[in-house]
Amino acid sequence: MLKQLLSHDLPRSRWLALLLVLIVLGLLLVPFVLPGSRSLNVAAKILVFIVLVASYDLLLGYTGIVSFAHTMFFGIGAYGVAIASSRMGADWLALGTGAGLALLLSLVLSLVIGLFSLRVKAMFYAMITLAVASAFQTFASQLSHFTGGEDGLSFRVPEWLTPSFEPLAQPLFGVTVDGRLITYYLVFAVALGLVLLMLRIVNSPFGRVLQAIRENDFRAEAIGYRTVVYRTLSNVLSALFATLAGCLLALWLRYNGPDTSLSFEIMLDILLIVVIGGMGTIYGAVVGSALFVLAQNYLQDLMRAASGAVEGVGLLSQLISPDRWLLWLGVLFVLCVYHFPSGIVGRLRQAARAASMAPPASTPTPVQAAETAPVR
Amino acid sequence: MNTATVSTSTPLNAAGAGAVPRSRFDAAPLLLVAVLAALALPMVGSVPTWLTLTVAGLAMGMIVFIIASGLTLVFGLMDVLNFGHGVFIALGAFVATSVLGSMAGWTSADSLLLNLGAVFLAMLVAMSVAGAVGFAFERIVVRPVYGHHLKQILITMGGMIIGEEIIKLIWGPQQIPLALPEALRGSLVLGDTAFEKYRLLAVALGLLVLAAMLYVLNSTKIGLLVRAGVQDREMVESLGYRIRRLFVGVFVVGSALAGLGGVMWGLYQQMVVPQIGAQVNVLLFIVIIIGGLGSTFGCFVGAVLVGLMANYTGFLFPKIALFSNIGLMVLILLWRPQGLYPVTNR
């Protein structure tokens, strides 16, 4: 049953399994263990990022395509829900229409970008997507009567999801059940479903072809796979999942603006999480997002305390000031690319393999392949 | 790119030059620049305004060319695209704020000579700092990832994050004004046409850098080796030249030029923010995609096209000015998918 659910792609490391169980249980129980709006916000952000990063991993980790336009699709999803809800009123139909239209737009855009430029070299594609994404961001903030411009759009959600909706008279395990809680579990369920679906995709024959293209596209083409078709499909799928992640974000925040879903900083965050968590493993997105968002929210408090303690030491207190946390993340990122190209998940799996001394599996895992083969 | 003949003193080469037919210069992209300018004239409707816009576009194009030339040369020579190139621009601009800020006596003086002196000194310091940092960047960050495109993109992106944070650490996260010295402010009026003085200076400097670059690339032995290295790296290496060392030199010069461009860009915008690198990166990529990755002359034509386009549309249709560059890129890629001057061996 579990094997089926995880598409036979088990964690393959006791520590990784433990970590995953901890994360899933933590996200599941957070409203009851740590009541309060801040912890719920952090947990919801982790969920959204898990979907977003996993969808990017489909592109970067499994197919070996570097795109900088991923936030564009994320933003389309968020704007879809935001625009539809603020125009059509707060009901489920608006949510569905917004998400549906956003998916359609993402489909068309990713197809066009894919067909137009996926045949070129990795660098070319990275540059073109960077340019397209920045143009889209300007576009979104220019169309102010439609997208709310720089201010963004605040909107109302269906009554069931509003904080004032309280279906139960009695608190459940000491926690009042309200619309926010329902929204949280909705986000949780959708995120879980999407991650399992992505696991299913990457472990299907289709996913294997993507990995073959990542390892050696020339050979994959020679075997008879139309690599352009597969790359474009990977691009489209990844865009659609990112769009859904955007819908979830907007649903949770009940707001969307260019900085929340389109900014280049989010693209950098995605890149950092994918690499630190582990490329080519959907689990890397889960572990990476959880660690990253937690660090982003709580490590900065720690750094604030620490820099307060060494106040007056000049450079040192500046180096560990909370505003500079991205510096340390950048250093960690560079070290990761050099020394742990397979990220946390790859490392854990490697350690597990070394410890068990089991005879090597007949088919190389994606992580093994990523470790040995030159990354293009 | 190969407009001038290679003239070295050895008789063997002189004889060989006759034997190998020179590739014909492709003038169509240059014509495109002329067509763009000519099309804009009736739309703008007034010659003085058009002249002002054209000079402004040329100035912007020159600055972008100075910044992008190092990037495209490094790509052509070593197949490394430095996504962290923007850091050197920001570095140059911030160094300039410090230098110019500490030279208030010279910048506020009522003498063109002292003003220019201050600006040139700032440029010199910015270029040396950016070049030195570029040397370290190549050694520490880029060297371990030659030949791995994916890793290069990731690593240089990481380098940009770190660089931006260090700049914030030194100069603070806020935007810093970078005012022009007294004598360079305002415009020069010739007849009905007003030319902003600083833009004229930028055009002159850009032409100077272009001329120096074309001279070095086309008429010196180092340039010969660089061009040969771009064409066929293995061959040059097997002839006994250390292309690695040459490349480090190109990288340092490219970073220094980015520093110079950063100073000019900062003065053009009259203020500097730490995110300037990421902002300019997009423009740079558009320029080198348009020009053809790895081609210096293509980079120049691309930069001029982008500069002119931005200024014309900024005047004519301010609403769509921000997308004009993307539109230009798409149109040119539809016409020539490899860019205006494709480097043929890729």
Side-chain angles (χ1 to χ4, degrees):
Chain A
M1 170 64 185
L2 189 66
K3 261 191 176 175
Q4 289 259 303
L5 217 53
L6 297 182
S7 310
H8 300 276
D9 187 5
L10 297 174
R12 288 198 303 277
S13 153
R14 197 167 302 162
W15 288 107
L16 178 60
L18 192 69
L19 205 59
L20 287 171
V21 168
L22 263 177
I23 291 171
V24 174
L25 275 184
L27 289 172
L28 187 64
L29 298 178
V30 113
F32 295 98
V33 180
L34 288 167
S37 65
R38 184 176 179 197
S39 53
L40 207 59
N41 267 325
V42 171
K45 194 175 175 198
I46 292 176
L47 285 169
V48 171
F49 261 87
I50 287 175
V51 178
L52 180 62
V53 173
S55 72
Y56 190 65
D57 197 26
L58 205 62
L59 203 58
L60 176 68
Y62 280 91
T63 328
I65 298 171
V66 187
S67 160
F68 286 105
H70 211 62
T71 44
M72 181 166 88
F73 301 114
F74 188 52
I76 288 176
Y79 270 118
V81 166
I83 293 172
S85 293
S86 55
R87 305 236 148 178
M88 298 171 54
D91 56 10
W92 293 98
L93 184 68
L95 283 183
T97 314
L101 287 179
L103 283 173
L104 200 65
L105 179 60
S106 289
L107 179 79
V108 173
L109 262 180
S110 60
L111 207 61
V112 168
I113 297 178
L115 287 177
F116 186 64
S117 50
L118 270 178
R119 276 175 293 186
V120 297
K121 288 176 36 157
M123 298 213 150
F124 222 70
Y125 187 68
M127 292 193 296
I128 291 178
T129 49
L130 190 69
V132 170
S134 82
F136 187 82
Q137 193 184 347
T138 346
F139 186 63
S141 43
Q142 289 269 307
L143 277 179
S144 46
H145 59 282
F146 199 53
T147 60
E150 291 293 332
D151 299 333
L153 287 171
S154 289
F155 59 93
R156 296 191 310 121
V157 288
E159 199 216 335
W160 271 40
L161 305 178
T162 52
S164 53
F165 177 72
E166 291 181 11
L168 300 181
Q170 298 294 319
L172 191 69
F173 302 114
V175 177
T176 321
V177 177
D178 62 0
R180 289 308 272 168
L181 202 70
I182 297 174
T183 315
Y184 179 76
Y185 280 110
L186 183 68
V187 171
F188 182 89
V190 174
L192 187 70
L194 289 177
V195 169
L196 290 179
L197 186 61
M198 279 187 262
L199 261 181
R200 185 63 260 170
I201 289 174
V202 297
N203 288 296
S204 68
F206 171 74
R208 297 286 168 206
V209 179
L210 294 188
Q211 289 169 45
I213 292 172
R214 174 191 69 194
E215 294 311 326
N216 192 333
D217 57 344
F218 188 69
R219 203 177 283 178
E221 183 90 49
I223 295 169
Y225 293 111
R226 296 279 308 278
T227 50
V228 180
V229 173
Y230 279 89
R231 279 164 190 262
T232 309
L233 272 179
S234 160
N235 198 35
V236 168
L237 277 176
S238 155
L240 293 182
F241 280 111
T243 309
L244 288 173
C247 297
L248 290 183
L249 180 81
L251 187 65
W252 175 254
L253 293 178
R254 289 173 289 169
Y255 162 81
N256 185 50
D259 285 343
T260 39
S261 60
L262 280 177
S263 75
F264 190 63
E265 275 77 41
I266 295 179
M267 193 62 240
L268 285 183
D269 291 351
I270 299 174
L271 211 59
L272 292 170
I273 297 174
V274 163
V275 169
I276 292 171
M279 283 190 279
T281 62
I282 295 292
Y283 295 122
V286 179
V287 175
S289 306
L291 290 181
F292 182 88
V293 178
L294 282 178
Q296 197 177 29
N297 282 279
Y298 295 106
L299 196 67
Q300 289 188 19
D301 293 349
L302 211 68
M303 288 174 79
R304 193 167 294 125
S307 74
V310 290
E311 188 85 65
V313 194
L315 188 66
L316 186 65
S317 75
Q318 277 195 0
L319 273 177
I320 56 175
S321 103
D323 295 337
R324 292 290 81 75
W325 87 292
L326 199 57
L327 172 67
W328 299 107
L329 213 67
V331 172
L332 183 66
F333 173 81
V334 169
L335 291 178
C336 251
V337 178
Y338 284 149
H339 301 293
F340 318 104
S342 56
I344 297 173
V345 170
R347 264 289 131 136
L348 287 174
R349 284 182 166 174
Q350 229 177 0
R353 249 199 323 278
S356 70
M357 300 277 278
S362 54
T363 51
T365 64
V367 178
Q368 274 174 328
E371 292 257 296
T372 49
V375 185
R376 250 174 294 265
Chain B
M1 181 165 158
N2 302 325
T3 43
T5 40
V6 183
S7 59
T8 44
S9 53
T10 49
L12 190 74
N13 264 356
V20 182
R22 260 168 62 197
S23 58
R24 273 194 52 218
F25 177 65
D26 180 8
L30 280 180
L31 217 65
L32 186 66
V33 178
V35 167
L36 180 66
L39 270 182
L41 182 55
M43 292 175 82
V44 172
S46 110
V47 176
T49 319
W50 178 79
L51 269 177
T52 309
L53 286 174
T54 307
V55 169
L58 282 179
M60 182 177 163
M62 291 296 178
I63 299 174
V64 173
F65 164 68
I66 289 175
I67 300 172
S69 55
L71 188 65
T72 199
L73 207 53
V74 166
F75 179 82
L77 188 60
M78 294 306 271
D79 206 14
V80 171
L81 188 64
N82 183 7
F83 274 72
H85 199 67
V87 167
F88 303 113
I89 303 161
L91 192 65
F94 275 95
V95 168
T97 60
S98 292
V99 174
L100 287 179
S102 65
M103 294 175 65
W106 283 26
T107 53
S108 59
D110 195 22
S111 138
L112 179 66
L113 217 59
L114 277 183
N115 286 177
L116 278 180
V119 170
F120 284 134
L121 197 70
M123 285 175 176
L124 214 61
V125 176
M127 282 177 81
S128 351
V129 172
V133 173
F135 183 72
F137 191 82
E138 196 276 335
R139 276 215 93 98
I140 301 168
V141 176
V142 183
R143 190 167 291 187
V145 288
Y146 283 128
H148 303 278
H149 276 166
L150 180 60
K151 280 192 177 179
Q152 280 167 17
I153 296 174
L154 296 177
I155 279 285
T156 50
M157 211 72 198
M160 194 179 86
I161 299 175
I162 297 175
E164 208 174 275
E165 289 298 309
I166 291 179
I167 283 173
K168 283 185 199 163
L169 197 67
I170 300 174
W171 282 280
Q174 74 285 10
Q175 74 174 41
I176 300 178
L178 184 59
L180 279 169
E182 291 296 334
L184 292 174
R185 287 180 206 169
S187 337
L188 218 59
V189 182
L190 289 177
D192 291 337
T193 319
F195 299 106
E196 276 187 43
K197 288 181 196 163
Y198 176 66
R199 291 185 177 164
L200 289 176
L201 178 72
V203 172
L205 268 176
L207 286 178
L208 204 68
V209 170
L210 176 70
M213 240 170 118
L214 286 180
Y215 172 74
V216 171
L217 275 176
N218 289 328
S219 314
T220 64
K221 191 171 173 191
I222 289 179
L224 178 69
L225 285 175
V226 169
R227 282 185 300 127
V230 170
Q231 288 293 322
D232 190 339
R233 184 170 169 210
E234 282 78 16
M235 195 63 215
V236 180
E237 268 175 343
S238 62
L239 289 173
Y241 294 103
R242 289 191 212 168
I243 208 123
R244 259 229 54 82
R245 204 177 274 183
L246 190 68
F247 170 66
V248 175
V250 170
F251 199 96
V252 169
V253 171
S255 313
L257 282 176
L260 171 65
V263 179
M264 293 169 71
W265 189 259
L267 286 170
Y268 187 75
Q269 306 249 319
Q270 311 236 355
M271 56 110 188
V272 181
V273 285
Q275 292 80 16
I276 182 176
Q279 292 165 0
V280 180
N281 247 357
V282 176
L283 203 59
L284 291 188
F285 289 159
I286 292 176
V287 163
I288 62 177
I289 289 173
I290 289 180
L293 283 178
S295 152
T296 310
F297 195 69
C299 171
F300 174 71
V301 177
V304 170
L305 274 176
V306 164
L308 288 177
M309 190 79 177
N311 277 280
Y312 291 143
T313 50
F315 177 79
L316 292 168
F317 322 100
K319 274 260 169 207
I320 63 155
L322 289 157
F323 318 108
S324 62
N325 291 328
I326 300 277
L328 188 69
M329 181 178 85
V330 170
L331 286 180
I332 286 182
L333 287 184
L334 285 176
W335 177 38
R336 293 196 169 174
Q338 302 295 316
L340 292 176
Y341 287 99
V343 178
T344 44
N345 63 334
R346 290 180 201 286

